[in-house]
Amino acid sequence: MGIKEQMIEILRSEEARRVRFTFAGSTGPVAVDHTSFARVATALDAGDISVVTGGVRDGWAKYSARAEGTSAANTFYFGRNQRWSRIFNGLVIHECVHASFDLSRTTIPWLDNEAAAYIAQAYYLRNSGLARERLEFGSMPSIAYQYVNGLRSGNTTDVTFFLQALRDSLESSPDYHSYIRTTFEGDG
């Protein structure tokens, strides 16, 4: 199975269908649910989005909405990853949130875009049975996992605390420094 077919399978999985959340973003509500992933799976299946192996560090992935530098528009890039792992599947979910916002022509602060992607990734990982302890302590996926646990248990204190911790982590990360305070504009 090729990586594109694997992505479609992940996006149409039961674990992905059970991802559903809304949070108060910087400029309004941010929502992700099964329709976000169905939209991307349909675009992949139709060939409207490309998938490339390479172009990013090993263990990483990215979605490029626009042609910039060596990146083509509407393209997923994957470094060498353990494609058989739930961690990889969660990475696919993360990047597909960005693609979904692009396909739906959403204008959203990058901070909210990345927060939503990490929360969806963590939600998927939780749905697939991955224990939070398998994630690096203090990492963004781990913080988002705690946020999801708060959502699922109805603990509003945890939800508020871990959403702010995720935002703080994103704003202080050198990996996101160049764009986290800017706005993403989806163009389909």
Side-chain angles (χ1 to χ4, degrees), residues 4 30 60 73 80 83 93 137 160 162 182 185 188:
K4 179 173 107 170
V30 178
W60 284 63
R80 282 188 296 199
R83 286 184 39 205
I93 292 294
F137 181 77
T160 302
F162 287 110
T182 65
E185 294 182 19

Side-chain angles (χ1 to χ4, degrees), residues 15 85-88 90 121-136 141-142 145 149:
E15 294 86 357
S85 72
R86 287 181 284 183
I87 298 292
F88 174 77
Q121 177 181 2
Y123 217 128
Y124 176 91
L125 292 173
R126 187 180 189 279
N127 288 347
S128 72
L130 185 84
R132 183 189 53 79
E133 293 76 20
R134 297 264 326 270
L135 300 170
E136 180 184 339
S142 177
Y145 200 111
N149 280 344

Side-chain angles (χ1 to χ4, degrees), residues 151-166:
L151 274 181
R152 300 294 296 154
S153 70
N155 186 332
T156 57
T157 302
D158 278 359
V159 167
T160 302
F161 176 82
F162 287 110
L163 180 58
Q164 189 58 52
L166 181 58

Side-chain angles (χ1 to χ4, degrees), residues 50-122:
S50 301
V51 180
V52 173
T53 302
V56 293
R57 298 186 296 206
D58 290 349
W60 284 63
K62 82 171 184 178
Y63 174 73
S64 177
R66 291 186 174 70
E68 297 176 308
T70 60
S71 298
N74 304 322
T75 303
F76 287 103
Y77 292 88
F78 290 93
R80 282 188 296 199
N81 293 288
Q82 296 175 334
R83 286 184 39 205
W84 47 265
S85 72
R86 287 181 284 183
I87 298 292
F88 174 77
N89 294 358
L91 188 59
V92 167
I93 292 294
H94 176 114
E95 294 305 324
C96 286
V97 168
H98 302 316
S100 177
F101 287 145
D102 181 34
L103 291 169
S104 63
R105 299 178 186 275
T106 301
T107 298
I108 183 173
W110 262 112
L111 181 62
D112 294 338
N113 190 336
E114 287 293 353
Y118 276 110
I119 293 167
Q121 177 181 2

